[in-house]
Amino acid sequence: MKIIVCVKQVPDTSGKVAVNPDGTLNRASMATITNPDDLNAVEAALTLKEQTGAEVVVVSMGPPPAEGMLREIQARGVDRAVLVSGREFGGSDTYATSQILAAAINKIGVEKEDIVMCGRQAIDGDTAQVGPQIAEKLGLPQVSYAADIQKDGDTLTIKRMLEDGYMTIKVKTPCLVTCIKELNQPRYMSVDGIFECYSKPYEVFDYNTLKDDPLIDPTTIGLKGSPTNIFKSFTPPQKGVGMMLEGADRATCDKLAGMLAAKHLI
Amino acid sequence: MSSYNSAAIEEFKGGVWVFCEQRQGTMMSTSFELISEGRKLADELGSKLYGVLLGDNVEGLAKELGGYGADGVYVCQDALLKDYTTGGYTKAICDLVHEYKPEVLLIGATNIGRDLGPRLAARLHTGLCADCTHLDIDVPKYKDFLRASSTLAPAAIDSIKEGDRNLKMTRPAFGGHLMATIICPRFRPAMATVRPGVMKKAAFDQAKADACEIIKPNFTLTADDVQTEVVEVVKAAKKMVDLIGADVVVSVGRGISKDVETGIKLAEELAEVLGGVVGASRAVVDSGWMSADHQVGQTGKTVHPKIYVALGISGAIQHKAGMQDSECIIAVNKNETAPIFEIADYGICGDLFKVVPQLIEAIKAAQAAK
């Protein structure tokens, strides 16, 4: 059996987010990391590998520098890494991205016992759409927001989180699961793993590799194949500087209460 | 490739649709918010607004949607639709879309909506914008929105062409530092998931609720469509905190670390005086001082109360993303360079353990004087 994990390299938004004067994001000023939810998916796959001896394959779509991220994931113990990279794929929205990743997964091959895993969402786009859209393109059942996964033969029992509780869902393989941080604690890279990762197999799928897949069509990939377009992007105005009240004593509090009352807020 | 709708967007005249999520026979409040917002969009398009309600024995919930503006509700009832399943709900809604061809389809960005939306969009071959916070169709209205909420040059705003009927879906990216308006010009329905708590609920009108039309459409569903089996649905025992609907939110941050118990108690007292609820920053939730349903911010809840009080919260962008649209923000922080003061309407630089008791007294006095 095989577990295919989709991962994305993203800018680290937990630090300072810098915006260019023209209103676009200053990506050069931010470090890149593996998307946090995707690391939970990798960890879940490695846990299942330890239980079942499954082969773990990671797939990422992105520019060539994403190789560094894939090597880091290989150093955690995955067996095979695939980078999907090509100019034809650039400018894709979630629909087009899922189209391309589904074609790449078809190329790797999904069999009866296999599982496809994704993170719930990437921290740069925050859409949470690509996983379910890949599942639809591959015709697989999906379970999103997985906080616990148990495998018994060809059946997975998954705890799927809701805002006000959870559902327990049974699903047969092959299927697609999207993972959240409650699922596990991702392991560190091992020193041996880091030494070995650059000698592990690493493949690149470009447009020519995938072009025979029926999902790959100029009308369904890249900027031209994306149903959604950006109409305008802009930065919100800075809110006018508010009033700092001097003192921090009862007189200050009385003044504030007076102003709130005058505005009919209290 | 399902290209059935790529050529003929003019056929999609079925109006504005809202997926009305119910759980265990109780309507989610975001359904009412979206119906209220959908009413405005339908009026801008000059078309009708329909709710889409799926479940088992849920017809009784439908009329209430009319009270918030729905002209009608498509009700699909089947034992297979009792609990939410991706496969069952996607199949039923796709059947409806193929038959009635809506122009716009809105879904609340709950854990369920964010599972359903992308699956539907992929099957229908259309575009979906995630977690929107602002929607427009009418171009003059959209221009007014840009003038008030963007730093775009007036010339760039004036150059937008009139008369376009695309749904203009605006969403924040990167914690609200960048906003993007997305359109779906070549496919229908234009789909959006909308962040719960962002759209405001309209006033309920009983006469409209009585007039709401119930439509029972044809759809076919078999066990094979469902694909997954729901073994159980567990509701968390703890009471849900109604942060989203509250008029006043008093939030605490890491600044209470000196004496957590007293800090939370002070916030609760202040919230009680103001008639609101207590929220928290992520630092407080991660430290285990309060439960996650109190969390305000990018990964917590988005609130826009009349008054937001930030006690001992530094104001990281992830927090600000969840509360910066509050009408009046009051910040109390020991550090005068805390970023929270950049967006606060009123700032007090001081120790919250000393300031809050005095503030409670001052507000009580002001209320008594009225």
Side-chain angles (χ1 to χ4, degrees):
Chain A
M1 104 182 243
K2 182 161 73 259
I3 304 169
I4 301 170
V5 190
C6 302
V7 296
K8 185 180 186 185
Q9 190 175 45
V10 293
D12 185 358
T13 56
S14 67
K16 198 163 171 265
V17 173
V19 179
N20 291 322
D22 64 354
T24 58
L25 197 75
N26 185 352
R27 285 178 185 263
S29 73
M30 287 186 274
T32 57
I33 54 169
T34 310
N35 182 53
D37 285 352
D38 299 353
L39 283 179
N40 295 109
V42 169
E43 180 61 34
L46 291 172
T47 307
L48 282 170
K49 176 185 170 166
E50 284 156 5
Q51 291 166 6
T52 63
E55 180 195 15
V56 178
V57 187
V58 283
V59 184
S60 185
M61 181 172 113
E67 178 183 350
M69 170 198 66
L70 283 174
R71 293 293 186 194
E72 282 184 17
I73 294 169
Q74 282 185 302
R76 289 178 160 87
V78 309
D79 302 293
R80 189 178 161 195
V82 175
L83 178 64
V84 182
S85 196
R87 267 186 304 127
E88 294 85 350
F89 304 147
S92 291
D93 71 355
T94 64
Y95 185 97
T97 299
S98 66
Q99 201 68 23
I100 298 160
L101 281 169
I105 292 167
N106 272 335
K107 182 90 186 166
I108 296 164
V110 179
E111 286 152 33
K112 177 83 187 76
E113 289 268 292
D114 295 353
I115 304 169
V116 182
M117 288 186 165
C118 298
R120 170 197 52 168
Q121 67 189 55
I123 55 172
D124 55 352
D126 273 332
T127 67
Q129 292 174 2
V130 171
Q133 293 191 324
I134 291 173
E136 172 65 24
K137 296 299 162 195
L138 295 173
L140 300 178
Q142 78 195 41
V143 181
S144 53
Y145 290 83
D148 185 58
I149 303 171
Q150 300 297 330
K151 185 172 186 298
D152 180 16
D154 67 348
T155 303
L156 299 183
T157 304
I158 296 173
K159 181 179 181 185
R160 180 201 192 279
M161 295 311 289
L162 296 170
E163 291 86 342
D164 54 354
Y166 64 90
M167 295 168 122
T168 307
I169 294 176
K170 278 192 194 297
V171 61
K172 292 229 187 295
T173 60
C175 61
L176 184 143
V177 182
T178 79
C179 303
I180 57 176
K181 71 175 194 305
E182 285 79 3
L183 178 58
N184 52 40
Q185 179 71 43
R187 69 191 63 190
Y188 292 108
M189 294 177 273
S190 68
V191 176
D192 283 352
I194 295 169
F195 271 108
E196 286 161 13
C197 69
Y198 279 88
S199 58
K200 283 196 172 178
Y202 167 80
E203 296 151 75
V204 177
F205 287 1
D206 62 7
Y207 178 73
N208 282 324
T209 319
L210 301 177
K211 70 175 191 305
D212 295 331
D213 191 291
L215 292 169
I216 300 296
D217 181 300
T219 63
T220 57
I221 60 163
L223 194 59
K224 280 189 182 156
S226 295
T228 58
N229 305 140
I230 294 178
F231 183 62
K232 284 270 177 243
S233 70
F234 55 90
T235 43
Q238 286 290 324
K239 202 172 163 181
V241 177
M243 188 188 291
M244 284 301 285
L245 302 170
E246 300 298 326
D249 52 16
R250 177 63 197 262
T252 313
C253 292
D254 280 334
K255 192 177 160 197
L256 175 58
M259 286 186 291
L260 294 178
K263 285 189 165 182
H264 305 291
L265 284 166
I266 58 170
Chain B
M1 192 48 46
S2 81
S3 54
Y4 86 97
N5 71 5
S6 61
I9 65 169
E10 65 280 1
E11 286 178 11
F12 283 74
K13 291 189 171 140
V16 176
W17 285 17
V18 171
F19 170 68
C20 296
E21 186 184 338
Q22 56 85 20
R23 292 186 189 173
Q24 287 83 51
T26 305
M27 194 67 80
M28 297 287 283
S29 61
T30 187
S31 303
F32 301 126
E33 295 164 18
L34 289 193
I35 286 284
S36 307
E37 179 68 17
R39 182 70 261 162
K40 293 181 207 160
L41 298 178
D43 290 343
E44 289 175 28
L45 276 174
S47 65
K48 287 199 166 183
L49 172 70
Y50 295 98
V52 177
L53 178 62
L54 278 63
D56 190 21
N57 292 322
V58 290
E59 195 181 334
L61 301 175
K63 286 270 180 191
E64 192 180 1
L65 295 163
Y68 295 97
D71 295 305
V73 179
Y74 293 102
V75 182
C76 298
Q77 300 191 100
D78 193 304
L80 291 170
L81 296 172
K82 181 173 177 289
D83 292 314
Y84 170 76
T85 60
T86 313
Y89 275 49
T90 303
K91 173 69 168 63
I93 296 173
C94 277
D95 279 5
L96 257 59
V97 169
H98 284 281
E99 172 136 15
Y100 297 100
K101 297 191 166 37
E103 199 165 349
V104 168
L105 173 53
L106 306 181
I107 299 173
T110 62
N111 288 15
I112 281 175
R114 298 175 102 220
D115 184 87
L116 174 67
R119 188 90 193 196
L120 268 176
R123 193 169 298 179
L124 295 167
H125 191 180
T126 190
L128 169 66
C129 182
D131 279 22
C132 298
T133 55
H134 186 90
L135 299 168
D136 278 304
I137 287 168
D138 186 58
V139 175
K141 273 195 180 169
Y142 177 66
K143 287 182 175 177
D144 287 344
F145 162 70
L146 285 183
R147 285 187 197 103
S149 327
S150 82
T151 53
L152 285 176
I157 296 173
D158 292 336
S159 70
I160 298 169
K161 272 193 242 128
E162 302 277 337
D164 122 44
R165 272 171 69 93
N166 276 306
L167 176 64
K168 288 162 273 293
M169 304 172 267
T170 303
R171 67 177 304 243
F174 295 100
H177 271 229
L178 197 62
M179 304 290 287
T181 301
I182 311 285
I183 52 169
C184 175
R186 296 176 293 128
F187 300 96
R188 292 290 179 270
M191 288 179 59
T193 60
V194 181
R195 191 144 200 207
V198 174
M199 304 300 173
K200 294 196 172 73
K201 200 159 85 171
F204 180 80
D205 182 337
Q206 185 61 46
K208 284 186 187 167
D210 294 338
C212 181
E213 184 190 359
I214 306 291
I215 308 150
K216 291 190 177 165
N218 292 322
F219 64 99
T220 55
L221 196 62
T222 66
D224 286 344
D225 296 321
V226 176
Q227 292 182 310
T228 55
E229 180 199 342
V230 178
V231 182
E232 59 171 347
V233 182
V234 178
K235 276 211 156 198
K238 60 181 185 288
K239 194 172 155 282
M240 291 283 285
V241 182
D242 186 19
L243 274 179
I244 288 172
D247 278 340
V248 176
V249 176
V250 180
S251 283
V252 290
R254 213 192 299 270
I256 61 166
S257 61
K258 192 171 74 183
D259 183 351
V260 173
E261 222 168 275
T262 309
I264 293 173
K265 197 165 139 275
L266 283 173
E268 283 169 352
E269 282 175 24
L270 181 55
E272 200 188 318
V273 174
L274 292 169
V277 299
V278 178
S281 73
R282 178 157 184 176
V284 168
V285 172
D286 282 353
S287 303
W289 300 336
M290 288 176 82
S291 65
D293 40 347
H294 290 273
Q295 190 185 327
V296 173
Q298 195 173 12
T299 53
K301 295 197 173 80
T302 304
V303 297
H304 48 71
K306 291 198 175 73
I307 305 178
Y308 188 90
V309 188
L311 302 175
I313 293 176
S314 65
I317 59 161
Q318 287 85 352
H319 186 78
K320 288 199 277 193
M323 45 64 79
Q324 60 197 356
D325 292 331
S326 304
E327 259 174 63
C328 174
I329 297 169
I330 301 166
V332 180
N333 203 299
K334 272 204 288 201
N335 178 2
E336 62 180 336
T337 62
I340 192 77
F341 288 129
E342 290 165 17
I343 60 161
D345 297 275
Y346 302 106
I348 297 178
C349 181
D351 181 353
L352 72 96
F353 291 96
K354 296 200 180 95
V355 173
V356 175
Q358 301 187 63
L359 189 56
I360 292 169
E361 292 308 314
I363 289 168
K364 277 186 183 164
Q367 285 169 336
K370 273 205 160 182

